Amino acid sequence: LSFANGTLTVTAYALVATAHNATKLYGAAVPALTGALVGIHNGDAITATFTTAATAASDAGLYSITPVLADPNNLLTNYTVTLVNGTLTNLPAPLVITAENKTRLYGAANPAFTASYAGFVNGDDESDLDTAVTLATAANATSPVGPHPITASGAADLNYTITHTDGTLTVSAAPLLVTANNA
């Protein structure tokens, strides 16, 4: 009678941590990042959190969401770990640029045109735009009395989806004094 030893081979379990994709607007806080952890066995106390380098102030664009495993009992050696990154899509924030209404008298030069802005975030203002707005009208000193459009166009910025809104230049009748000569 003879005995021969055998070998018990213990193979690692497959453990997959997958970050879910997320979306936010430029200027908004990073949302709670989530994901899935699949393959935990024997009640092992392995957990996953998900992180990104993006912040509320990060430019619009794509940012990686990375799974981070916590293993308080050093059990990860029992697993073949696969980490699957997700993507945080940081969308441009909406911005409305409106040409402000102006008035002038017939025969006068056009006033300086100005715009109002609604939607800036992160302390941004018009000086932060990649391309400033262009404000123009076809009206000139000889244009007739009445309303004339002031167009707003051309503004652009990576972090904003810009909507341009036109204003109105109102040309009013100029005062005219007619005096009869004494005779």
Side-chain angles (χ1 to χ4, degrees):
L1 182 64
S2 63
F3 296 95
N5 289 338
T7 302
L8 172 63
T9 303
V10 178
T11 58
Y13 284 111
L15 179 64
V16 179
T18 303
H20 295 155
N21 294 333
T23 302
K24 77 173 204 69
L25 288 176
Y26 168 72
V30 175
L33 301 176
T34 62
L37 185 60
V38 178
I40 297 290
H41 289 279
N42 301 325
D44 291 345
I46 299 169
T47 59
T49 56
F50 305 90
T51 185
T52 184
T55 66
S58 295
D59 286 334
L62 304 177
Y63 295 86
S64 182
I65 301 172
T66 308
V68 178
L69 297 179
D71 180 22
N73 299 322
N74 297 317
L75 298 171
L76 280 178
T77 56
N78 297 324
Y79 295 90
T80 301
V81 177
T82 301
L83 301 177
V84 180
N85 290 347
T87 300
L88 173 65
T89 303
N90 193 18
L91 299 170
L95 176 66
V96 177
I97 301 175
T98 303
E100 294 178 325
N101 296 332
K102 298 291 179 178
T103 60
R104 70 165 174 83
L105 295 177
Y106 172 77
N110 287 335
F113 296 129
T114 55
S116 63
Y117 301 83
F120 278 123
V121 296
N122 286 338
D124 292 345
D125 62 31
E126 60 270 17
S127 68
D128 294 308
L129 292 174
D130 295 337
T131 303
V133 67
T134 299
L135 302 169
T137 186
N140 58 38
T142 62
S143 295
V145 169
H148 301 273
I150 302 171
T151 59
S153 64
D157 193 87
L158 168 72
N159 293 320
Y160 294 96
T161 299
I162 298 174
T163 301
H164 297 89
T165 304
D166 294 344
T168 301
L169 171 65
T170 302
V171 177
S172 300
L176 178 63
L177 177 62
V178 177
T179 304
N181 292 331
N182 293 333

mmCIF file of all heavy atoms in Angstrom, residues 94-137:
data_model
loop_
_atom_site.group_PDB
_atom_site.id
_atom_site.type_symbol
_atom_site.label_atom_id
_atom_site.label_comp_id
_atom_site.label_asym_id
_atom_site.label_seq_id
_atom_site.Cartn_x
_atom_site.Cartn_y
_atom_site.Cartn_z
ATOM 1 N N PRO A 94 -25.744 76.666 -19.784
ATOM 2 C CA PRO A 94 -26.459 77.584 -20.676
ATOM 3 C C PRO A 94 -26.184 79.048 -20.298
ATOM 4 O O PRO A 94 -26.119 79.391 -19.119
ATOM 5 C CB PRO A 94 -27.928 77.220 -20.451
ATOM 6 C CG PRO A 94 -27.969 76.592 -19.097
ATOM 7 C CD PRO A 94 -26.635 75.947 -18.879
ATOM 8 N N LEU A 95 -25.998 79.875 -21.312
ATOM 9 C CA LEU A 95 -25.759 81.310 -21.112
ATOM 10 C C LEU A 95 -26.577 82.068 -22.153
ATOM 11 O O LEU A 95 -26.519 81.751 -23.340
ATOM 12 C CB LEU A 95 -24.266 81.632 -21.280
ATOM 13 C CG LEU A 95 -23.874 83.107 -21.204
ATOM 14 C CD1 LEU A 95 -24.115 83.663 -19.801
ATOM 15 C CD2 LEU A 95 -22.411 83.294 -21.595
ATOM 16 N N VAL A 96 -27.340 83.051 -21.690
ATOM 17 C CA VAL A 96 -28.134 83.882 -22.594
ATOM 18 C C VAL A 96 -27.519 85.283 -22.614
ATOM 19 O O VAL A 96 -27.345 85.907 -21.567
ATOM 20 C CB VAL A 96 -29.615 83.962 -22.160
ATOM 21 C CG1 VAL A 96 -30.401 84.895 -23.075
ATOM 22 C CG2 VAL A 96 -30.233 82.573 -22.140
ATOM 23 N N ILE A 97 -27.189 85.743 -23.830
ATOM 24 C CA ILE A 97 -26.654 87.094 -24.012
ATOM 25 C C ILE A 97 -27.708 87.892 -24.765
ATOM 26 O O ILE A 97 -28.118 87.509 -25.863
ATOM 27 C CB ILE A 97 -25.335 87.079 -24.795
ATOM 28 C CG1 ILE A 97 -24.290 86.229 -24.061
ATOM 29 C CG2 ILE A 97 -24.821 88.503 -25.001
ATOM 30 C CD1 ILE A 97 -22.985 86.068 -24.824
ATOM 31 N N THR A 98 -28.147 88.995 -24.160
ATOM 32 C CA THR A 98 -29.219 89.804 -24.728
ATOM 33 C C THR A 98 -28.721 91.209 -25.026
ATOM 34 O O THR A 98 -28.173 91.881 -24.142
ATOM 35 C CB THR A 98 -30.408 89.882 -23.746
ATOM 36 O OG1 THR A 98 -30.841 88.546 -23.451
ATOM 37 C CG2 THR A 98 -31.559 90.677 -24.334
ATOM 38 N N ALA A 99 -28.891 91.648 -26.268
ATOM 39 C CA ALA A 99 -28.592 93.041 -26.618
ATOM 40 C C ALA A 99 -29.601 93.921 -25.888
ATOM 41 O O ALA A 99 -30.809 93.707 -25.988
ATOM 42 C CB ALA A 99 -28.674 93.240 -28.127
ATOM 43 N N GLU A 100 -29.102 94.891 -25.138
ATOM 44 C CA GLU A 100 -30.001 95.765 -24.384
ATOM 45 C C GLU A 100 -30.622 96.804 -25.316
ATOM 46 O O GLU A 100 -29.970 97.289 -26.246
ATOM 47 C CB GLU A 100 -29.236 96.436 -23.240
ATOM 48 C CG GLU A 100 -28.778 95.416 -22.209
ATOM 49 C CD GLU A 100 -27.978 96.032 -21.074
ATOM 50 O OE1 GLU A 100 -27.222 97.000 -21.313
ATOM 51 O OE2 GLU A 100 -28.113 95.530 -19.948
ATOM 52 N N ASN A 101 -31.883 97.118 -25.070
ATOM 53 C CA ASN A 101 -32.602 98.099 -25.876
ATOM 54 C C ASN A 101 -31.995 99.485 -25.684
ATOM 55 O O ASN A 101 -31.548 99.833 -24.581
ATOM 56 C CB ASN A 101 -34.080 98.118 -25.505
ATOM 57 C CG ASN A 101 -34.765 96.802 -25.828
ATOM 58 O OD1 ASN A 101 -34.364 96.088 -26.737
ATOM 59 N ND2 ASN A 101 -35.806 96.494 -25.081
ATOM 60 N N LYS A 102 -31.985 100.267 -26.768
ATOM 61 C CA LYS A 102 -31.450 101.637 -26.728
ATOM 62 C C LYS A 102 -32.409 102.560 -27.460
ATOM 63 O O LYS A 102 -33.230 102.113 -28.270
ATOM 64 C CB LYS A 102 -30.073 101.705 -27.404
ATOM 65 C CG LYS A 102 -29.007 100.860 -26.736
ATOM 66 C CD LYS A 102 -28.633 101.407 -25.381
ATOM 67 C CE LYS A 102 -27.571 100.529 -24.724
ATOM 68 N NZ LYS A 102 -27.148 101.036 -23.439
ATOM 69 N N THR A 103 -32.276 103.859 -27.189
ATOM 70 C CA THR A 103 -33.071 104.865 -27.896
ATOM 71 C C THR A 103 -32.146 106.002 -28.327
ATOM 72 O O THR A 103 -31.094 106.226 -27.738
ATOM 73 C CB THR A 103 -34.190 105.441 -27.001
ATOM 74 O OG1 THR A 103 -33.592 106.041 -25.854
ATOM 75 C CG2 THR A 103 -35.170 104.375 -26.571
ATOM 76 N N ARG A 104 -32.567 106.683 -29.364
ATOM 77 C CA ARG A 104 -31.871 107.901 -29.812
ATOM 78 C C ARG A 104 -32.821 108.723 -30.660
ATOM 79 O O ARG A 104 -33.866 108.235 -31.118
ATOM 80 C CB ARG A 104 -30.602 107.568 -30.572
ATOM 81 C CG ARG A 104 -30.828 106.953 -31.932
ATOM 82 C CD ARG A 104 -29.539 106.991 -32.750
ATOM 83 N NE ARG A 104 -29.667 106.302 -34.010
ATOM 84 C CZ ARG A 104 -30.189 106.823 -35.112
ATOM 85 N NH1 ARG A 104 -30.678 108.056 -35.108
ATOM 86 N NH2 ARG A 104 -30.249 106.118 -36.237
ATOM 87 N N LEU A 105 -32.432 109.970 -30.913
ATOM 88 C CA LEU A 105 -33.224 110.858 -31.752
ATOM 89 C C LEU A 105 -32.831 110.678 -33.209
ATOM 90 O O LEU A 105 -31.684 110.321 -33.523
ATOM 91 C CB LEU A 105 -33.019 112.313 -31.343
ATOM 92 C CG LEU A 105 -33.516 112.701 -29.952
ATOM 93 C CD1 LEU A 105 -33.171 114.145 -29.655
ATOM 94 C CD2 LEU A 105 -35.019 112.456 -29.835
ATOM 95 N N TYR A 106 -33.771 110.943 -34.093
ATOM 96 C CA TYR A 106 -33.495 110.933 -35.534
ATOM 97 C C TYR A 106 -32.355 111.911 -35.803
ATOM 98 O O TYR A 106 -32.314 113.018 -35.270
ATOM 99 C CB TYR A 106 -34.749 111.334 -36.310
ATOM 100 C CG TYR A 106 -34.501 111.524 -37.787
ATOM 101 C CD1 TYR A 106 -34.375 110.427 -38.630
ATOM 102 C CD2 TYR A 106 -34.338 112.796 -38.323
ATOM 103 C CE1 TYR A 106 -34.120 110.590 -39.986
ATOM 104 C CE2 TYR A 106 -34.090 112.976 -39.681
ATOM 105 C CZ TYR A 106 -33.961 111.867 -40.503
ATOM 106 O OH TYR A 106 -33.701 112.036 -41.833
ATOM 107 N N GLY A 107 -31.385 111.498 -36.611
ATOM 108 C CA GLY A 107 -30.260 112.364 -36.977
ATOM 109 C C GLY A 107 -29.067 112.234 -36.048
ATOM 110 O O GLY A 107 -27.982 112.692 -36.382
ATOM 111 N N ALA A 108 -29.246 111.629 -34.881
ATOM 112 C CA ALA A 108 -28.134 111.472 -33.933
ATOM 113 C C ALA A 108 -27.356 110.197 -34.243
ATOM 114 O O ALA A 108 -27.841 109.291 -34.926
ATOM 115 C CB ALA A 108 -28.681 111.420 -32.508
ATOM 116 N N ALA A 109 -26.140 110.136 -33.722
ATOM 117 C CA ALA A 109 -25.330 108.927 -33.882
ATOM 118 C C ALA A 109 -25.903 107.821 -32.986
ATOM 119 O O ALA A 109 -26.576 108.094 -31.980
ATOM 120 C CB ALA A 109 -23.892 109.206 -33.485
ATOM 121 N N ASN A 110 -25.637 106.599 -33.365
ATOM 122 C CA ASN A 110 -26.083 105.470 -32.530
ATOM 123 C C ASN A 110 -25.350 105.494 -31.191
ATOM 124 O O ASN A 110 -24.154 105.811 -31.143
ATOM 125 C CB ASN A 110 -25.803 104.138 -33.232
ATOM 126 C CG ASN A 110 -26.733 103.892 -34.393
ATOM 127 O OD1 ASN A 110 -27.844 104.416 -34.424
ATOM 128 N ND2 ASN A 110 -26.285 103.101 -35.357
ATOM 129 N N PRO A 111 -26.031 105.132 -30.118
ATOM 130 C CA PRO A 111 -25.364 105.058 -28.819
ATOM 131 C C PRO A 111 -24.466 103.812 -28.766
ATOM 132 O O PRO A 111 -24.529 102.951 -29.639
ATOM 133 C CB PRO A 111 -26.540 104.931 -27.836
ATOM 134 C CG PRO A 111 -27.603 104.250 -28.636
ATOM 135 C CD PRO A 111 -27.445 104.761 -30.049
ATOM 136 N N ALA A 112 -23.644 103.751 -27.744
ATOM 137 C CA ALA A 112 -22.842 102.539 -27.523
ATOM 138 C C ALA A 112 -23.799 101.407 -27.155
ATOM 139 O O ALA A 112 -24.698 101.589 -26.326
ATOM 140 C CB ALA A 112 -21.841 102.768 -26.399
ATOM 141 N N PHE A 113 -23.618 100.261 -27.792
ATOM 142 C CA PHE A 113 -24.495 99.126 -27.513
ATOM 143 C C PHE A 113 -23.912 98.295 -26.380
ATOM 144 O O PHE A 113 -22.695 98.119 -26.265
ATOM 145 C CB PHE A 113 -24.692 98.265 -28.764
ATOM 146 C CG PHE A 113 -25.387 98.986 -29.879
ATOM 147 C CD1 PHE A 113 -24.853 99.001 -31.156
ATOM 148 C CD2 PHE A 113 -26.578 99.659 -29.657
ATOM 149 C CE1 PHE A 113 -25.497 99.664 -32.190
ATOM 150 C CE2 PHE A 113 -27.229 100.324 -30.677
ATOM 151 C CZ PHE A 113 -26.684 100.339 -31.946
ATOM 152 N N THR A 114 -24.796 97.758 -25.545
ATOM 153 C CA THR A 114 -24.385 96.936 -24.403
ATOM 154 C C THR A 114 -25.241 95.673 -24.376
ATOM 155 O O THR A 114 -26.277 95.597 -25.040
ATOM 156 C CB THR A 114 -24.563 97.705 -23.076
ATOM 157 O OG1 THR A 114 -25.923 98.151 -22.981
ATOM 158 C CG2 THR A 114 -23.623 98.902 -22.998
ATOM 159 N N ALA A 115 -24.794 94.709 -23.604
ATOM 160 C CA ALA A 115 -25.527 93.440 -23.489
ATOM 161 C C ALA A 115 -25.675 93.066 -22.027
ATOM 162 O O ALA A 115 -24.875 93.465 -21.177
ATOM 163 C CB ALA A 115 -24.777 92.337 -24.237
ATOM 164 N N SER A 116 -26.701 92.288 -21.764
ATOM 165 C CA SER A 116 -26.866 91.694 -20.427
ATOM 166 C C SER A 116 -26.605 90.196 -20.557
ATOM 167 O O SER A 116 -26.770 89.614 -21.631
ATOM 168 C CB SER A 116 -28.264 91.966 -19.866
ATOM 169 O OG SER A 116 -29.246 91.358 -20.675
ATOM 170 N N TYR A 117 -26.178 89.580 -19.469
ATOM 171 C CA TYR A 117 -25.778 88.174 -19.463
ATOM 172 C C TYR A 117 -26.525 87.455 -18.351
ATOM 173 O O TYR A 117 -26.577 87.940 -17.219
ATOM 174 C CB TYR A 117 -24.274 88.054 -19.216
ATOM 175 C CG TYR A 117 -23.442 88.765 -20.264
ATOM 176 C CD1 TYR A 117 -23.201 90.140 -20.183
ATOM 177 C CD2 TYR A 117 -22.906 88.074 -21.338
ATOM 178 C CE1 TYR A 117 -22.446 90.791 -21.147
ATOM 179 C CE2 TYR A 117 -22.142 88.713 -22.301
ATOM 180 C CZ TYR A 117 -21.915 90.067 -22.201
ATOM 181 O OH TYR A 117 -21.173 90.703 -23.153
ATOM 182 N N ALA A 118 -27.087 86.300 -18.677
ATOM 183 C CA ALA A 118 -27.789 85.490 -17.674
ATOM 184 C C ALA A 118 -27.284 84.056 -17.772
ATOM 185 O O ALA A 118 -27.433 83.414 -18.811
ATOM 186 C CB ALA A 118 -29.294 85.539 -17.894
ATOM 187 N N GLY A 119 -26.652 83.586 -16.691
ATOM 188 C CA GLY A 119 -26.229 82.193 -16.664
ATOM 189 C C GLY A 119 -24.769 81.970 -16.318
ATOM 190 O O GLY A 119 -24.321 80.829 -16.242
ATOM 191 N N PHE A 120 -23.995 83.038 -16.108
ATOM 192 C CA PHE A 120 -22.600 82.821 -15.736
ATOM 193 C C PHE A 120 -22.502 82.068 -14.410
ATOM 194 O O PHE A 120 -23.307 82.285 -13.499
ATOM 195 C CB PHE A 120 -21.848 84.152 -15.604
ATOM 196 C CG PHE A 120 -21.368 84.717 -16.906
ATOM 197 C CD1 PHE A 120 -21.752 85.984 -17.313
ATOM 198 C CD2 PHE A 120 -20.511 83.995 -17.729
ATOM 199 C CE1 PHE A 120 -21.310 86.514 -18.512
ATOM 200 C CE2 PHE A 120 -20.057 84.515 -18.934
ATOM 201 C CZ PHE A 120 -20.453 85.780 -19.325
ATOM 202 N N VAL A 121 -21.519 81.174 -14.297
ATOM 203 C CA VAL A 121 -21.263 80.421 -13.068
ATOM 204 C C VAL A 121 -19.782 80.526 -12.718
ATOM 205 O O VAL A 121 -18.986 81.027 -13.502
ATOM 206 C CB VAL A 121 -21.678 78.927 -13.215
ATOM 207 C CG1 VAL A 121 -23.177 78.787 -13.424
ATOM 208 C CG2 VAL A 121 -20.930 78.262 -14.362
ATOM 209 N N ASN A 122 -19.433 80.053 -11.560
ATOM 210 C CA ASN A 122 -18.041 80.018 -11.088
ATOM 211 C C ASN A 122 -17.386 81.392 -11.049
ATOM 212 O O ASN A 122 -16.178 81.517 -11.195
ATOM 213 C CB ASN A 122 -17.179 79.083 -11.965
ATOM 214 C CG ASN A 122 -17.465 77.629 -11.701
ATOM 215 O OD1 ASN A 122 -17.972 77.263 -10.652
ATOM 216 N ND2 ASN A 122 -17.157 76.791 -12.663
ATOM 217 N N GLY A 123 -18.180 82.445 -10.905
ATOM 218 C CA GLY A 123 -17.620 83.791 -10.855
ATOM 219 C C GLY A 123 -17.189 84.322 -12.213
ATOM 220 O O GLY A 123 -16.527 85.352 -12.292
ATOM 221 N N ASP A 124 -17.556 83.626 -13.286
ATOM 222 C CA ASP A 124 -17.210 84.085 -14.629
ATOM 223 C C ASP A 124 -18.000 85.346 -14.978
ATOM 224 O O ASP A 124 -19.071 85.608 -14.422
ATOM 225 C CB ASP A 124 -17.540 83.011 -15.679
ATOM 226 C CG ASP A 124 -16.656 81.776 -15.558
ATOM 227 O OD1 ASP A 124 -15.613 81.840 -14.880
ATOM 228 O OD2 ASP A 124 -17.016 80.736 -16.149
ATOM 229 N N ASP A 125 -17.469 86.111 -15.919
ATOM 230 C CA ASP A 125 -18.200 87.242 -16.485
ATOM 231 C C ASP A 125 -17.829 87.363 -17.955
ATOM 232 O O ASP A 125 -17.102 86.514 -18.484
ATOM 233 C CB ASP A 125 -17.939 88.541 -15.710
ATOM 234 C CG ASP A 125 -16.472 88.962 -15.733
ATOM 235 O OD1 ASP A 125 -15.759 88.682 -16.720
ATOM 236 O OD2 ASP A 125 -16.026 89.592 -14.752
ATOM 237 N N GLU A 126 -18.328 88.413 -18.607
ATOM 238 C CA GLU A 126 -18.126 88.528 -20.052
ATOM 239 C C GLU A 126 -16.658 88.575 -20.462
ATOM 240 O O GLU A 126 -16.300 88.202 -21.579
ATOM 241 C CB GLU A 126 -18.891 89.727 -20.635
ATOM 242 C CG GLU A 126 -18.495 91.073 -20.073
ATOM 243 C CD GLU A 126 -19.290 91.505 -18.849
ATOM 244 O OE1 GLU A 126 -19.960 90.673 -18.197
ATOM 245 O OE2 GLU A 126 -19.227 92.695 -18.510
ATOM 246 N N SER A 127 -15.773 89.007 -19.553
ATOM 247 C CA SER A 127 -14.346 89.045 -19.890
ATOM 248 C C SER A 127 -13.748 87.643 -19.994
ATOM 249 O O SER A 127 -12.657 87.473 -20.540
ATOM 250 C CB SER A 127 -13.571 89.875 -18.854
ATOM 251 O OG SER A 127 -13.571 89.212 -17.601
ATOM 252 N N ASP A 128 -14.441 86.636 -19.481
ATOM 253 C CA ASP A 128 -13.948 85.253 -19.529
ATOM 254 C C ASP A 128 -14.349 84.518 -20.802
ATOM 255 O O ASP A 128 -13.893 83.396 -21.036
ATOM 256 C CB ASP A 128 -14.463 84.469 -18.311
ATOM 257 C CG ASP A 128 -13.897 84.997 -17.007
ATOM 258 O OD1 ASP A 128 -12.663 85.119 -16.920
ATOM 259 O OD2 ASP A 128 -14.683 85.304 -16.095
ATOM 260 N N LEU A 129 -15.197 85.112 -21.641
ATOM 261 C CA LEU A 129 -15.623 84.438 -22.864
ATOM 262 C C LEU A 129 -14.436 84.285 -23.813
ATOM 263 O O LEU A 129 -13.585 85.167 -23.926
ATOM 264 C CB LEU A 129 -16.729 85.232 -23.561
ATOM 265 C CG LEU A 129 -18.069 85.300 -22.829
ATOM 266 C CD1 LEU A 129 -19.030 86.245 -23.551
ATOM 267 C CD2 LEU A 129 -18.675 83.917 -22.694
ATOM 268 N N ASP A 130 -14.376 83.157 -24.516
ATOM 269 C CA ASP A 130 -13.326 82.929 -25.506
ATOM 270 C C ASP A 130 -13.448 83.939 -26.651
ATOM 271 O O ASP A 130 -12.448 84.425 -27.171
ATOM 272 C CB ASP A 130 -13.396 81.502 -26.070
ATOM 273 C CG ASP A 130 -13.109 80.444 -25.005
ATOM 274 O OD1 ASP A 130 -12.451 80.767 -23.995
ATOM 275 O OD2 ASP A 130 -13.554 79.293 -25.192
ATOM 276 N N THR A 131 -14.680 84.231 -27.060
ATOM 277 C CA THR A 131 -14.951 85.237 -28.093
ATOM 278 C C THR A 131 -16.088 86.117 -27.583
ATOM 279 O O THR A 131 -17.148 85.610 -27.212
ATOM 280 C CB THR A 131 -15.377 84.568 -29.427
ATOM 281 O OG1 THR A 131 -14.358 83.654 -29.838
ATOM 282 C CG2 THR A 131 -15.599 85.605 -30.507
ATOM 283 N N ALA A 132 -15.848 87.425 -27.575
ATOM 284 C CA ALA A 132 -16.849 88.367 -27.065
ATOM 285 C C ALA A 132 -18.027 88.483 -28.031
ATOM 286 O O ALA A 132 -17.903 88.193 -29.224
ATOM 287 C CB ALA A 132 -16.217 89.742 -26.857
ATOM 288 N N VAL A 133 -19.143 88.943 -27.502
ATOM 289 C CA VAL A 133 -20.340 89.147 -28.315
ATOM 290 C C VAL A 133 -20.141 90.352 -29.236
ATOM 291 O O VAL A 133 -19.439 91.310 -28.880
ATOM 292 C CB VAL A 133 -21.598 89.333 -27.424
ATOM 293 C CG1 VAL A 133 -21.530 90.630 -26.633
ATOM 294 C CG2 VAL A 133 -22.865 89.248 -28.253
ATOM 295 N N THR A 134 -20.737 90.297 -30.413
ATOM 296 C CA THR A 134 -20.766 91.416 -31.344
ATOM 297 C C THR A 134 -22.181 91.984 -31.347
ATOM 298 O O THR A 134 -23.145 91.239 -31.535
ATOM 299 C CB THR A 134 -20.383 90.950 -32.772
ATOM 300 O OG1 THR A 134 -19.061 90.419 -32.733
ATOM 301 C CG2 THR A 134 -20.448 92.095 -33.753
ATOM 302 N N LEU A 135 -22.281 93.295 -31.123
ATOM 303 C CA LEU A 135 -23.574 93.984 -31.094
ATOM 304 C C LEU A 135 -23.591 94.986 -32.242
ATOM 305 O O LEU A 135 -22.683 95.823 -32.352
ATOM 306 C CB LEU A 135 -23.774 94.706 -29.765
ATOM 307 C CG LEU A 135 -23.703 93.801 -28.516
ATOM 308 C CD1 LEU A 135 -23.635 94.644 -27.250
ATOM 309 C CD2 LEU A 135 -24.887 92.859 -28.481
ATOM 310 N N ALA A 136 -24.604 94.898 -33.110
ATOM 311 C CA ALA A 136 -24.626 95.764 -34.291
ATOM 312 C C ALA A 136 -26.053 96.045 -34.730
ATOM 313 O O ALA A 136 -26.984 95.310 -34.388
ATOM 314 C CB ALA A 136 -23.857 95.100 -35.432
ATOM 315 N N THR A 137 -26.180 97.122 -35.500
ATOM 316 C CA THR A 137 -27.461 97.449 -36.136
ATOM 317 C C THR A 137 -27.172 98.020 -37.520
ATOM 318 O O THR A 137 -26.092 98.572 -37.764
ATOM 319 C CB THR A 137 -28.276 98.464 -35.312
ATOM 320 O OG1 THR A 137 -29.559 98.633 -35.915
ATOM 321 C CG2 THR A 137 -27.586 99.800 -35.198
#
